[in-house]
Amino acid sequence: MATAPPIAPPAPVPTRKAKPGGSGPVRRHWRLYLAISPFYLLFLCFGLIPVGFSLYLSLHRWDGLGKMEWAGLSQYRYLLGDSQFWHAIGNTLIIWAMATLPMLFIAMVCAVMLNSAVRFKNFYRFAYFLPNVTSVVAVAIIFGSVFSTNFGLANAVLEGLGLDQVAWLNTPWGIKVAIASLMTWQWTGYNAIIYLAGLQTIPTELYEAARVDGAGPVQTFFRITVPLMRPVILFTLVVSTITGLQSFSEPQVLLQTASNSSTFAGGPDNAGQTMVLYFFQQTFDNNDFGYGAAISWGIFLIVAVFAIINWRLVQRKGK
């Protein structure tokens, strides 16, 4: 029996040897790298270099004009024992808790209502998102009038209910309530739109099956909506933590408007002095740029730690 002749292996495909200094990935795609280079150049000039300089500056004493003096870690050691800085941390955490928890809850309720609305959806979305794009300075001035002691809307409501007036911007807790209310009003619509986008990704079949099984709105919310919305809730919680712990414009403008002063002192007992405001005071009012840089790095570590804690807590609940 004759056997088939062996199949010859395919001839090797000739390859072009790369010449020394020839075309590599960068040379072949230089136009693409050139197109995206403005972003990296801007990030280098206005992001990376300032961050590196602030770290370098935190190791020196400098008033902004004279010669820098090496300080090493002495400013960080002073920061750890600075009672005013720890007081600002306490104020920031209290205001953050008073603003973030109600804000996220109200945002979720608004998102559920928007998701079930039939008419004027686009109008409601615009109305809820409008406070987030409104100037913080203008809003702070309006809230300063709302919480005014003599002619404020808040005290008018209290008088209508038969209660005594409250000097909102002249008492420590009144200041915190006013700042937290402003932040809640500003960011509720933003989080509601994000929650609405997450709600629209949940299949309607799950809600229909739950209704067939006899589940009510509350059970449906906690058994279907909340578990499936956990990644979105995590995102809003982390973002709200980062923005809330860096509050600056709200207390500054609100308390300046109330005191009719060009300088900021944080209100009575410095109750409205947040971490970023304390950084602003030390850096630009006292012209202590080195210590201000050390404060900024302390703020960065605190915000990073709280963001990680929130992320870990939500992730653990999701397991």
Side-chain angles (χ1 to χ4, degrees), residues 4-314:
I7 301 175
V13 179
T15 58
R16 181 181 298 176
K17 295 182 178 180
K19 298 180 181 180
S23 60
V26 177
R27 289 179 177 269
R28 287 199 306 268
H29 305 295
W30 67 270
R31 294 180 180 85
L32 301 178
Y33 287 106
L34 182 63
I36 63 175
S37 61
F39 167 78
Y40 292 100
L41 293 175
L42 292 174
F43 175 74
L44 179 66
C45 295
F46 299 101
L48 194 58
I49 292 178
V51 169
F53 180 72
S54 68
L55 181 60
Y56 173 79
L57 185 60
S58 66
L59 304 175
H60 294 77
R61 294 187 180 92
W62 188 45
D63 60 358
L65 296 175
K67 184 179 179 180
M68 291 186 181
E69 297 180 3
W70 174 258
L73 299 177
S74 62
Q75 299 192 118
Y76 288 99
R77 287 193 293 267
Y78 180 79
L79 180 65
L80 293 176
D82 189 354
S83 60
Q84 191 62 34
F85 178 66
W86 289 102
H87 180 72
I89 293 175
N91 290 337
T92 305
L93 294 178
I94 293 173
I95 294 172
W96 167 78
M98 294 174 63
T100 301
L101 299 180
M103 173 183 62
L104 295 181
F105 175 76
I106 297 173
M108 178 63 75
V109 173
C110 293
V112 173
M113 294 173 62
L114 282 173
N115 193 41
S116 60
V118 179
R119 303 175 61 185
F120 307 112
K121 281 187 176 182
N122 293 331
F123 170 77
Y124 290 133
R125 293 175 186 176
F126 170 78
Y128 281 125
F129 194 74
L130 183 62
N132 186 250
V133 297
T134 306
S135 172
V136 179
V137 176
V139 174
I141 294 175
I142 295 174
F143 268 74
S145 300
V146 171
F147 288 98
S148 175
T149 302
N150 298 322
F151 307 103
L153 179 61
N155 279 333
V157 174
L158 292 178
E159 287 184 350
L161 297 176
L163 302 176
D164 296 332
Q165 290 186 347
V166 177
W168 295 102
L169 301 179
N170 294 316
T171 57
W173 279 103
I175 290 173
K176 291 180 175 63
V177 170
I179 297 174
S181 301
L182 193 159
M183 296 173 62
T184 301
W185 183 86
Q186 183 184 7
W187 291 99
T188 296
Y190 170 83
N191 291 290
I193 297 300
I194 295 178
Y195 286 153
L196 178 61
L199 289 172
Q200 292 178 345
T201 62
I202 301 177
T204 57
E205 293 81 3
L206 296 177
Y207 293 106
E208 295 174 357
R211 284 194 292 268
V212 171
D213 293 338
V218 177
Q219 291 178 324
T220 302
F221 178 78
F222 286 103
R223 297 296 180 87
I224 296 179
T225 303
V226 174
L228 295 179
M229 287 283 292
R230 184 170 286 110
V232 183
I233 295 174
L234 171 62
F235 170 78
T236 56
L237 182 59
V238 172
V239 171
S240 299
T241 299
I242 294 173
T243 56
L245 294 180
Q246 298 182 73
S247 57
F248 169 72
S249 300
E250 298 89 348
Q252 185 194 38
V253 179
L254 187 63
L255 296 177
Q256 278 186 355
T257 303
S259 61
N260 295 320
S261 174
S262 59
T263 59
F264 176 78
D269 298 330
N270 287 324
Q273 186 181 61
T274 60
M275 294 186 295
V276 179
L277 276 173
Y278 183 62
F279 154 77
F280 182 85
Q281 281 183 326
Q282 295 297 321
T283 305
F284 298 104
D285 290 345
N286 298 339
N287 294 325
D288 194 349
F289 290 88
Y291 187 56
I295 294 174
S296 68
W297 279 97
I299 294 172
F300 168 75
L301 292 177
I302 293 172
V303 173
V305 167
F306 272 88
I308 293 173
I309 290 174
N310 288 333
W311 181 79
R312 294 290 296 177
L313 287 177
V314 177

